[in-house]
Amino acid sequence: MTSVIWIVVAVLSTFTVGYMGYSRYLSRFVDLDDERETPAHKYEDGQEYVPAKKPVLLGHHFSSIAGGAPIVGPITAGAIWGWVPALLWVAIGNPLMGAVHDFISLSSSIRHEGRSIGYIVGQYVGERGKNLLLWFAFLTIILVVAVFALVVGIVFNAYPQVTTASFVYILLALAFGVYLYQLNGPFIPGTVLFVAGVFAGVWVGIQYPFALFPGDYPAGTLVLAETLGLGAGEWVPGALSPNVMAWVPLIMVYGGIASALPVWVLLQPRDYLSSFLLYAGVGGGIIAIIVGTIFATSSQPLVVDSSLGAFQGFWGLEAAGLWPLFPLLFVTIACGTISGFHSLVSSGTTSKQLNKESDARLIGYGGMLGEGLLAALALSTLAVAGLGATVVEAGGGIGGALPNFAAGGGIILTSLGVPEALGAVFMALVLVSFLLTSTDTAVRLGRYMMEEIVGMDDGMTVSGFSADLGSIARGRYTNPMAQIGIAYVLVVSGEWATLWGLFGGANQLLAALALLTGTVWLANWDESKQLISTGVPMALMVTITVFGLLWLALYENLYVNLINGGATGLGAQLSSAAQMTLAIVLIVLALSLVKIGIGNLRSVRSGGTPSAEPSDD
């Protein structure tokens, strides 16, 4: 039997080499200099541009980028194709591609006044290129909100103890924001006090679990519908249980409200506090694997379960359907290796809070390595729990990821003397902590995207929006309403499972476009700059993701769901048609932008003028 510790050893080895060597080279390559004033100081406004201490900003950044994807993706990929292909993609691809992507996105943004990757590419390839990227990013954001809100609903339904604990730490975060920024309380004592409160919230959640509608819950769970006489929830729309589907719009509304608040009110303090919970989950899980393997202190041997193969074959697990390893493995692991959503966080909120340029190495490159560790831990929980707890669904396996991560995590934490039941609840809370922070950060980023698309003036905007429509589209409250409305329709359509594949493809293709942006920036900055570090990952991701989205659009949705009748019911058919259309639109947008970007690169490197006039917006 293969010990799970080899998964951890492989990842730690490549990540250490990457951070100690490659990230240091990249820091010199982009000329990080603490003498330069960062946008957070230059444009400090108490709303979006707010300098943050490195540990606070690392907490926000790590919490925002590490959503459910690095947990769901590796578990699903490991179940379908085997744990070895999933491990190799995370261990090798993360330091060479994903961490580079995050670091370059952050570095380029701080050199462009904390603006987004859409604005940056527009400076070099023109207004059309900027709007193509911004629209692509905005559509991807809607998929992120839909998928993450759905997974939070699934977690809350499976572990109502986590629901209560999540409410506790959000209230603590609001209080911590007031303590730090309004009362000017001392930082370290406040950290100790409020972090202790977050962990105490886990105990409160176990004692007082909470749910909206009836279900199979622990004894003593407070069910709101029973208290208010709302019935069993048959009237709640959606294909899953009423409790799951009732939580989805509430989580989306929370994300919309949180996205409109100044960053100091909730975003910074909550992400900082929850980061300790997340570090404890990821770090504790990794340490528990090492301790349990060396001292045999776990409740069962930490070895790869016999039900999980090292390599299931190119077509994967038969139960999952026809899923070729290339390109779908690389699309399924949407964040453990490389994620376009990270470029939106790096150039959206993180760059506006960076205290000094040298912090970008730890936060950008190191933050992505931290997410890779989470992916390795998720794969380890699958290896320990085996396929028995996994419901492998051809569209993404969202429902199967939670049982594995919580159940396997609970087993792993017994190595440190934590009872298995308590450990499972704790790991479920770790998952929710990632998801909640990512959800409202995504909505905030969507608003930033639209602000740059329609402009911030009161006249006719460059995108053709009238003054009134432009004001609504970019509004602090109206923009989130539009995002969560579309996302909610996608979730309740009945084809929620297939959202994961579409989200993964769009997310990875956005990463390719972010790498294109970084490559264009470097080429225009200095003609002697090498473009291999960003150009090669860009070319690989464009190829992988275009093929992946074509498979999902033409085979899964058009052939299987629409032509062969795989989608039953009008709602499912409309959802398949919408997803197919969206996939094709994303491909066209991306390839159009790649063509413009390559034209700029050829012009600059040949000594000519750019093929498009730079944007002055």
mmCIF file of all heavy atoms in Angstrom, residues 203-247:
data_model
loop_
_atom_site.group_PDB
_atom_site.id
_atom_site.type_symbol
_atom_site.label_atom_id
_atom_site.label_comp_id
_atom_site.label_asym_id
_atom_site.label_seq_id
_atom_site.Cartn_x
_atom_site.Cartn_y
_atom_site.Cartn_z
ATOM 1 N N TRP A 203 -16.855 25.363 18.508
ATOM 2 C CA TRP A 203 -17.541 24.696 19.618
ATOM 3 C C TRP A 203 -19.001 25.136 19.692
ATOM 4 O O TRP A 203 -19.901 24.314 19.889
ATOM 5 C CB TRP A 203 -16.826 25.010 20.937
ATOM 6 C CG TRP A 203 -17.494 24.386 22.128
ATOM 7 C CD1 TRP A 203 -17.307 23.132 22.625
ATOM 8 C CD2 TRP A 203 -18.486 25.007 22.974
ATOM 9 N NE1 TRP A 203 -18.114 22.919 23.721
ATOM 10 C CE2 TRP A 203 -18.850 24.052 23.956
ATOM 11 C CE3 TRP A 203 -19.083 26.259 22.993
ATOM 12 C CZ2 TRP A 203 -19.781 24.326 24.957
ATOM 13 C CZ3 TRP A 203 -20.028 26.527 23.972
ATOM 14 C CH2 TRP A 203 -20.370 25.574 24.942
ATOM 15 N N VAL A 204 -19.236 26.442 19.497
ATOM 16 C CA VAL A 204 -20.618 26.950 19.524
ATOM 17 C C VAL A 204 -21.442 26.285 18.424
ATOM 18 O O VAL A 204 -22.596 25.896 18.643
ATOM 19 C CB VAL A 204 -20.629 28.483 19.354
ATOM 20 C CG1 VAL A 204 -22.062 28.994 19.229
ATOM 21 C CG2 VAL A 204 -19.927 29.157 20.525
ATOM 22 N N GLY A 205 -20.830 26.135 17.249
ATOM 23 C CA GLY A 205 -21.538 25.503 16.150
ATOM 24 C C GLY A 205 -21.906 24.058 16.435
ATOM 25 O O GLY A 205 -23.002 23.601 16.090
ATOM 26 N N ILE A 206 -21.005 23.326 17.069
ATOM 27 C CA ILE A 206 -21.274 21.929 17.406
ATOM 28 C C ILE A 206 -22.391 21.835 18.440
ATOM 29 O O ILE A 206 -23.230 20.924 18.395
ATOM 30 C CB ILE A 206 -19.988 21.245 17.910
ATOM 31 C CG1 ILE A 206 -18.972 21.143 16.756
ATOM 32 C CG2 ILE A 206 -20.278 19.870 18.485
ATOM 33 C CD1 ILE A 206 -17.632 20.627 17.178
ATOM 34 N N GLN A 207 -22.436 22.788 19.349
ATOM 35 C CA GLN A 207 -23.465 22.760 20.389
ATOM 36 C C GLN A 207 -24.825 23.223 19.880
ATOM 37 O O GLN A 207 -25.866 22.735 20.335
ATOM 38 C CB GLN A 207 -23.031 23.669 21.565
ATOM 39 C CG GLN A 207 -21.753 23.226 22.243
ATOM 40 C CD GLN A 207 -21.853 21.834 22.823
ATOM 41 O OE1 GLN A 207 -22.824 21.505 23.510
ATOM 42 N NE2 GLN A 207 -20.844 21.010 22.553
ATOM 43 N N TYR A 208 -24.839 24.150 18.922
ATOM 44 C CA TYR A 208 -26.097 24.747 18.470
ATOM 45 C C TYR A 208 -26.175 24.755 16.938
ATOM 46 O O TYR A 208 -26.135 25.826 16.307
ATOM 47 C CB TYR A 208 -26.230 26.174 19.009
ATOM 48 C CG TYR A 208 -26.090 26.280 20.503
ATOM 49 C CD1 TYR A 208 -24.889 26.706 21.078
ATOM 50 C CD2 TYR A 208 -27.149 25.940 21.348
ATOM 51 C CE1 TYR A 208 -24.757 26.793 22.459
ATOM 52 C CE2 TYR A 208 -27.027 26.020 22.715
ATOM 53 C CZ TYR A 208 -25.818 26.443 23.269
ATOM 54 O OH TYR A 208 -25.695 26.525 24.632
ATOM 55 N N PRO A 209 -26.284 23.594 16.295
ATOM 56 C CA PRO A 209 -26.397 23.549 14.830
ATOM 57 C C PRO A 209 -27.695 24.193 14.357
ATOM 58 O O PRO A 209 -28.686 24.247 15.083
ATOM 59 C CB PRO A 209 -26.359 22.052 14.519
ATOM 60 C CG PRO A 209 -26.774 21.379 15.789
ATOM 61 C CD PRO A 209 -26.308 22.259 16.910
ATOM 62 N N PHE A 210 -27.684 24.677 13.108
ATOM 63 C CA PHE A 210 -28.794 25.474 12.593
ATOM 64 C C PHE A 210 -29.060 25.106 11.134
ATOM 65 O O PHE A 210 -28.125 24.919 10.351
ATOM 66 C CB PHE A 210 -28.433 26.956 12.701
ATOM 67 C CG PHE A 210 -29.431 27.883 12.064
ATOM 68 C CD1 PHE A 210 -30.654 28.150 12.677
ATOM 69 C CD2 PHE A 210 -29.156 28.486 10.855
ATOM 70 C CE1 PHE A 210 -31.569 29.001 12.085
ATOM 71 C CE2 PHE A 210 -30.062 29.342 10.258
ATOM 72 C CZ PHE A 210 -31.276 29.600 10.880
ATOM 73 N N ALA A 211 -30.330 24.967 10.746
ATOM 74 C CA ALA A 211 -30.730 24.682 9.367
ATOM 75 C C ALA A 211 -31.995 25.451 9.035
ATOM 76 O O ALA A 211 -32.726 25.891 9.930
ATOM 77 C CB ALA A 211 -30.950 23.180 9.175
ATOM 78 N N LEU A 212 -32.252 25.607 7.742
ATOM 79 C CA LEU A 212 -33.442 26.326 7.302
ATOM 80 C C LEU A 212 -34.648 25.410 7.165
ATOM 81 O O LEU A 212 -35.758 25.764 7.550
ATOM 82 C CB LEU A 212 -33.171 27.028 5.967
ATOM 83 C CG LEU A 212 -32.135 28.157 5.975
ATOM 84 C CD1 LEU A 212 -31.940 28.695 4.571
ATOM 85 C CD2 LEU A 212 -32.547 29.274 6.923
ATOM 86 N N PHE A 213 -34.442 24.210 6.590
ATOM 87 C CA PHE A 213 -35.538 23.280 6.348
ATOM 88 C C PHE A 213 -35.187 21.894 6.885
ATOM 89 O O PHE A 213 -34.018 21.581 7.081
ATOM 90 C CB PHE A 213 -35.868 23.212 4.849
ATOM 91 C CG PHE A 213 -36.541 24.447 4.333
ATOM 92 C CD1 PHE A 213 -35.804 25.454 3.731
ATOM 93 C CD2 PHE A 213 -37.906 24.603 4.457
ATOM 94 C CE1 PHE A 213 -36.421 26.598 3.256
ATOM 95 C CE2 PHE A 213 -38.543 25.748 3.992
ATOM 96 C CZ PHE A 213 -37.803 26.750 3.390
ATOM 97 N N PRO A 214 -36.169 21.052 7.130
ATOM 98 C CA PRO A 214 -35.914 19.735 7.731
ATOM 99 C C PRO A 214 -34.987 18.872 6.887
ATOM 100 O O PRO A 214 -34.942 18.981 5.662
ATOM 101 C CB PRO A 214 -37.319 19.111 7.812
ATOM 102 C CG PRO A 214 -38.259 20.269 7.796
ATOM 103 C CD PRO A 214 -37.614 21.298 6.930
ATOM 104 N N GLY A 215 -34.258 17.995 7.582
ATOM 105 C CA GLY A 215 -33.343 17.077 6.913
ATOM 106 C C GLY A 215 -32.748 16.118 7.919
ATOM 107 O O GLY A 215 -33.177 16.066 9.087
ATOM 108 N N ASP A 216 -31.754 15.352 7.488
ATOM 109 C CA ASP A 216 -31.085 14.391 8.364
ATOM 110 C C ASP A 216 -29.944 15.099 9.088
ATOM 111 O O ASP A 216 -28.808 15.126 8.605
ATOM 112 C CB ASP A 216 -30.559 13.217 7.537
ATOM 113 C CG ASP A 216 -29.945 12.125 8.406
ATOM 114 O OD1 ASP A 216 -30.195 12.143 9.634
ATOM 115 O OD2 ASP A 216 -29.203 11.283 7.857
ATOM 116 N N TYR A 217 -30.234 15.687 10.239
ATOM 117 C CA TYR A 217 -29.273 16.512 10.961
ATOM 118 C C TYR A 217 -28.948 15.910 12.327
ATOM 119 O O TYR A 217 -29.676 15.042 12.824
ATOM 120 C CB TYR A 217 -29.823 17.927 11.162
ATOM 121 C CG TYR A 217 -30.301 18.605 9.909
ATOM 122 C CD1 TYR A 217 -31.570 19.197 9.858
ATOM 123 C CD2 TYR A 217 -29.497 18.665 8.785
ATOM 124 C CE1 TYR A 217 -32.016 19.832 8.707
ATOM 125 C CE2 TYR A 217 -29.934 19.297 7.626
ATOM 126 C CZ TYR A 217 -31.204 19.876 7.588
ATOM 127 O OH TYR A 217 -31.639 20.491 6.454
ATOM 128 N N PRO A 218 -27.878 16.396 12.963
ATOM 129 C CA PRO A 218 -27.576 15.944 14.330
ATOM 130 C C PRO A 218 -28.699 16.326 15.295
ATOM 131 O O PRO A 218 -29.448 17.285 15.062
ATOM 132 C CB PRO A 218 -26.276 16.699 14.664
ATOM 133 C CG PRO A 218 -25.692 17.073 13.354
ATOM 134 C CD PRO A 218 -26.848 17.298 12.438
ATOM 135 N N ALA A 219 -28.804 15.572 16.365
ATOM 136 C CA ALA A 219 -29.827 15.859 17.376
ATOM 137 C C ALA A 219 -29.635 17.266 17.924
ATOM 138 O O ALA A 219 -28.508 17.715 18.136
ATOM 139 C CB ALA A 219 -29.746 14.836 18.506
ATOM 140 N N GLY A 220 -30.725 17.970 18.133
ATOM 141 C CA GLY A 220 -30.659 19.309 18.699
ATOM 142 C C GLY A 220 -30.543 20.412 17.676
ATOM 143 O O GLY A 220 -30.425 21.586 18.039
ATOM 144 N N THR A 221 -30.568 20.072 16.373
ATOM 145 C CA THR A 221 -30.450 21.099 15.331
ATOM 146 C C THR A 221 -31.706 21.970 15.294
ATOM 147 O O THR A 221 -32.830 21.454 15.236
ATOM 148 C CB THR A 221 -30.238 20.452 13.949
ATOM 149 O OG1 THR A 221 -29.036 19.691 13.956
ATOM 150 C CG2 THR A 221 -30.154 21.513 12.859
ATOM 151 N N LEU A 222 -31.511 23.276 15.330
ATOM 152 C CA LEU A 222 -32.623 24.217 15.220
ATOM 153 C C LEU A 222 -33.006 24.352 13.753
ATOM 154 O O LEU A 222 -32.185 24.760 12.923
ATOM 155 C CB LEU A 222 -32.222 25.579 15.784
ATOM 156 C CG LEU A 222 -33.239 26.708 15.583
ATOM 157 C CD1 LEU A 222 -34.540 26.411 16.333
ATOM 158 C CD2 LEU A 222 -32.652 28.049 16.034
ATOM 159 N N VAL A 223 -34.233 23.994 13.395
ATOM 160 C CA VAL A 223 -34.723 24.087 12.023
ATOM 161 C C VAL A 223 -35.685 25.264 11.949
ATOM 162 O O VAL A 223 -36.774 25.230 12.537
ATOM 163 C CB VAL A 223 -35.404 22.784 11.581
ATOM 164 C CG1 VAL A 223 -35.920 22.910 10.151
ATOM 165 C CG2 VAL A 223 -34.434 21.611 11.690
ATOM 166 N N LEU A 224 -35.308 26.307 11.230
ATOM 167 C CA LEU A 224 -36.077 27.548 11.194
ATOM 168 C C LEU A 224 -37.480 27.332 10.626
ATOM 169 O O LEU A 224 -38.453 27.909 11.123
ATOM 170 C CB LEU A 224 -35.328 28.587 10.362
ATOM 171 C CG LEU A 224 -35.948 29.989 10.312
ATOM 172 C CD1 LEU A 224 -35.978 30.608 11.696
ATOM 173 C CD2 LEU A 224 -35.169 30.883 9.352
ATOM 174 N N ALA A 225 -37.605 26.518 9.586
ATOM 175 C CA ALA A 225 -38.905 26.306 8.955
ATOM 176 C C ALA A 225 -39.916 25.708 9.926
ATOM 177 O O ALA A 225 -41.106 26.042 9.883
ATOM 178 C CB ALA A 225 -38.754 25.397 7.737
ATOM 179 N N GLU A 226 -39.449 24.811 10.796
ATOM 180 C CA GLU A 226 -40.349 24.219 11.772
ATOM 181 C C GLU A 226 -40.797 25.248 12.794
ATOM 182 O O GLU A 226 -41.960 25.258 13.223
ATOM 183 C CB GLU A 226 -39.648 23.044 12.460
ATOM 184 C CG GLU A 226 -39.359 21.878 11.526
ATOM 185 C CD GLU A 226 -38.606 20.757 12.227
ATOM 186 O OE1 GLU A 226 -38.143 20.981 13.369
ATOM 187 O OE2 GLU A 226 -38.478 19.674 11.631
ATOM 188 N N THR A 227 -39.897 26.129 13.170
ATOM 189 C CA THR A 227 -40.231 27.173 14.134
ATOM 190 C C THR A 227 -41.249 28.161 13.572
ATOM 191 O O THR A 227 -42.161 28.604 14.270
ATOM 192 C CB THR A 227 -38.953 27.930 14.562
ATOM 193 O OG1 THR A 227 -38.007 27.005 15.084
ATOM 194 C CG2 THR A 227 -39.282 28.979 15.609
ATOM 195 N N LEU A 228 -41.111 28.477 12.261
ATOM 196 C CA LEU A 228 -41.978 29.474 11.638
ATOM 197 C C LEU A 228 -43.160 28.855 10.916
ATOM 198 O O LEU A 228 -43.986 29.588 10.334
ATOM 199 C CB LEU A 228 -41.162 30.315 10.644
ATOM 200 C CG LEU A 228 -39.984 31.097 11.233
ATOM 201 C CD1 LEU A 228 -39.253 31.862 10.130
ATOM 202 C CD2 LEU A 228 -40.458 32.064 12.320
ATOM 203 N N GLY A 229 -43.249 27.522 10.901
ATOM 204 C CA GLY A 229 -44.358 26.858 10.229
ATOM 205 C C GLY A 229 -44.306 26.977 8.721
ATOM 206 O O GLY A 229 -45.346 27.144 8.066
ATOM 207 N N LEU A 230 -43.116 26.869 8.116
ATOM 208 C CA LEU A 230 -42.945 27.021 6.673
ATOM 209 C C LEU A 230 -43.000 25.700 5.923
ATOM 210 O O LEU A 230 -42.786 25.667 4.710
ATOM 211 C CB LEU A 230 -41.613 27.733 6.382
ATOM 212 C CG LEU A 230 -41.463 29.143 6.940
ATOM 213 C CD1 LEU A 230 -40.084 29.700 6.635
ATOM 214 C CD2 LEU A 230 -42.549 30.055 6.366
ATOM 215 N N GLY A 231 -43.247 24.602 6.612
ATOM 216 C CA GLY A 231 -43.345 23.316 5.948
ATOM 217 C C GLY A 231 -41.994 22.708 5.655
ATOM 218 O O GLY A 231 -40.956 23.127 6.182
ATOM 219 N N ALA A 232 -41.992 21.704 4.756
ATOM 220 C CA ALA A 232 -40.760 20.972 4.425
ATOM 221 C C ALA A 232 -39.980 21.626 3.299
ATOM 222 O O ALA A 232 -38.898 21.159 2.940
ATOM 223 C CB ALA A 232 -41.093 19.530 4.061
ATOM 224 N N GLY A 233 -40.519 22.691 2.706
ATOM 225 C CA GLY A 233 -39.788 23.424 1.677
ATOM 226 C C GLY A 233 -39.998 22.922 0.271
ATOM 227 O O GLY A 233 -39.161 23.175 -0.608
ATOM 228 N N GLU A 234 -41.121 22.201 0.011
ATOM 229 C CA GLU A 234 -41.371 21.703 -1.340
ATOM 230 C C GLU A 234 -41.469 22.846 -2.354
ATOM 231 O O GLU A 234 -41.251 22.642 -3.562
ATOM 232 C CB GLU A 234 -42.671 20.899 -1.383
ATOM 233 C CG GLU A 234 -42.699 19.683 -0.466
ATOM 234 C CD GLU A 234 -43.220 20.010 0.922
ATOM 235 O OE1 GLU A 234 -43.296 21.226 1.258
ATOM 236 O OE2 GLU A 234 -43.555 19.073 1.676
ATOM 237 N N TRP A 235 -41.790 24.025 -1.886
ATOM 238 C CA TRP A 235 -41.979 25.177 -2.772
ATOM 239 C C TRP A 235 -40.668 25.859 -3.163
ATOM 240 O O TRP A 235 -40.650 26.726 -4.036
ATOM 241 C CB TRP A 235 -42.886 26.192 -2.079
ATOM 242 C CG TRP A 235 -42.459 26.501 -0.655
ATOM 243 C CD1 TRP A 235 -42.836 25.834 0.465
ATOM 244 C CD2 TRP A 235 -41.560 27.531 -0.234
ATOM 245 N NE1 TRP A 235 -42.246 26.376 1.583
ATOM 246 C CE2 TRP A 235 -41.451 27.432 1.176
ATOM 247 C CE3 TRP A 235 -40.850 28.528 -0.902
ATOM 248 C CZ2 TRP A 235 -40.637 28.292 1.912
ATOM 249 C CZ3 TRP A 235 -40.053 29.392 -0.155
ATOM 250 C CH2 TRP A 235 -39.952 29.266 1.235
ATOM 251 N N VAL A 236 -39.551 25.456 -2.543
ATOM 252 C CA VAL A 236 -38.259 26.081 -2.858
ATOM 253 C C VAL A 236 -37.781 25.583 -4.221
ATOM 254 O O VAL A 236 -37.666 24.375 -4.434
ATOM 255 C CB VAL A 236 -37.210 25.745 -1.778
ATOM 256 C CG1 VAL A 236 -35.860 26.354 -2.148
ATOM 257 C CG2 VAL A 236 -37.673 26.245 -0.418
ATOM 258 N N PRO A 237 -37.498 26.473 -5.187
ATOM 259 C CA PRO A 237 -37.080 26.027 -6.525
ATOM 260 C C PRO A 237 -35.672 25.450 -6.513
ATOM 261 O O PRO A 237 -34.819 25.851 -5.729
ATOM 262 C CB PRO A 237 -37.142 27.319 -7.354
ATOM 263 C CG PRO A 237 -36.961 28.419 -6.361
ATOM 264 C CD PRO A 237 -37.604 27.938 -5.092
ATOM 265 N N GLY A 238 -35.439 24.483 -7.410
ATOM 266 C CA GLY A 238 -34.116 23.889 -7.542
ATOM 267 C C GLY A 238 -34.162 22.383 -7.502
ATOM 268 O O GLY A 238 -35.120 21.770 -7.006
ATOM 269 N N ALA A 239 -33.083 21.763 -8.027
ATOM 270 C CA ALA A 239 -33.056 20.309 -8.169
ATOM 271 C C ALA A 239 -32.575 19.597 -6.917
ATOM 272 O O ALA A 239 -32.771 18.394 -6.780
ATOM 273 C CB ALA A 239 -32.157 19.929 -9.352
ATOM 274 N N LEU A 240 -31.924 20.298 -6.003
ATOM 275 C CA LEU A 240 -31.392 19.662 -4.806
ATOM 276 C C LEU A 240 -32.367 19.831 -3.642
ATOM 277 O O LEU A 240 -33.478 20.323 -3.808
ATOM 278 C CB LEU A 240 -30.021 20.253 -4.477
ATOM 279 C CG LEU A 240 -28.960 20.066 -5.567
ATOM 280 C CD1 LEU A 240 -27.644 20.669 -5.144
ATOM 281 C CD2 LEU A 240 -28.782 18.600 -5.924
ATOM 282 N N SER A 241 -31.942 19.446 -2.437
ATOM 283 C CA SER A 241 -32.830 19.507 -1.281
ATOM 284 C C SER A 241 -33.226 20.949 -0.974
ATOM 285 O O SER A 241 -32.478 21.883 -1.278
ATOM 286 C CB SER A 241 -32.145 18.890 -0.061
ATOM 287 O OG SER A 241 -31.149 19.756 0.436
ATOM 288 N N PRO A 242 -34.416 21.161 -0.388
ATOM 289 C CA PRO A 242 -34.860 22.531 -0.078
ATOM 290 C C PRO A 242 -33.857 23.299 0.783
ATOM 291 O O PRO A 242 -33.697 24.514 0.591
ATOM 292 C CB PRO A 242 -36.182 22.307 0.667
ATOM 293 C CG PRO A 242 -36.680 20.995 0.156
ATOM 294 C CD PRO A 242 -35.456 20.164 -0.063
ATOM 295 N N ASN A 243 -33.204 22.615 1.719
ATOM 296 C CA ASN A 243 -32.262 23.318 2.581
ATOM 297 C C ASN A 243 -31.080 23.856 1.782
ATOM 298 O O ASN A 243 -30.632 24.988 1.985
ATOM 299 C CB ASN A 243 -31.777 22.395 3.699
ATOM 300 C CG ASN A 243 -31.095 23.162 4.820
ATOM 301 O OD1 ASN A 243 -31.650 24.119 5.354
ATOM 302 N ND2 ASN A 243 -29.880 22.753 5.160
ATOM 303 N N VAL A 244 -30.556 23.044 0.851
ATOM 304 C CA VAL A 244 -29.454 23.506 -0.002
ATOM 305 C C VAL A 244 -29.899 24.682 -0.847
ATOM 306 O O VAL A 244 -29.245 25.738 -0.889
ATOM 307 C CB VAL A 244 -28.950 22.361 -0.908
ATOM 308 C CG1 VAL A 244 -27.919 22.892 -1.903
ATOM 309 C CG2 VAL A 244 -28.336 21.242 -0.091
ATOM 310 N N MET A 245 -31.027 24.516 -1.543
ATOM 311 C CA MET A 245 -31.460 25.536 -2.490
ATOM 312 C C MET A 245 -31.921 26.816 -1.803
ATOM 313 O O MET A 245 -31.899 27.892 -2.412
ATOM 314 C CB MET A 245 -32.583 24.980 -3.366
ATOM 315 C CG MET A 245 -32.192 23.763 -4.204
ATOM 316 S SD MET A 245 -30.626 23.948 -5.112
ATOM 317 C CE MET A 245 -30.961 25.381 -6.118
ATOM 318 N N ALA A 246 -32.349 26.732 -0.538
ATOM 319 C CA ALA A 246 -32.725 27.951 0.192
ATOM 320 C C ALA A 246 -31.486 28.727 0.609
ATOM 321 O O ALA A 246 -31.523 29.966 0.682
ATOM 322 C CB ALA A 246 -33.561 27.587 1.416
ATOM 323 N N TRP A 247 -30.392 28.025 0.900
ATOM 324 C CA TRP A 247 -29.174 28.715 1.303
ATOM 325 C C TRP A 247 -28.516 29.458 0.133
ATOM 326 O O TRP A 247 -27.873 30.494 0.324
ATOM 327 C CB TRP A 247 -28.161 27.738 1.912
ATOM 328 C CG TRP A 247 -28.390 27.444 3.361
ATOM 329 C CD1 TRP A 247 -28.644 26.234 3.941
ATOM 330 C CD2 TRP A 247 -28.367 28.396 4.441
ATOM 331 N NE1 TRP A 247 -28.796 26.354 5.289
ATOM 332 C CE2 TRP A 247 -28.625 27.676 5.636
ATOM 333 C CE3 TRP A 247 -28.170 29.769 4.526
ATOM 334 C CZ2 TRP A 247 -28.689 28.298 6.877
ATOM 335 C CZ3 TRP A 247 -28.232 30.393 5.759
ATOM 336 C CH2 TRP A 247 -28.485 29.658 6.916
#
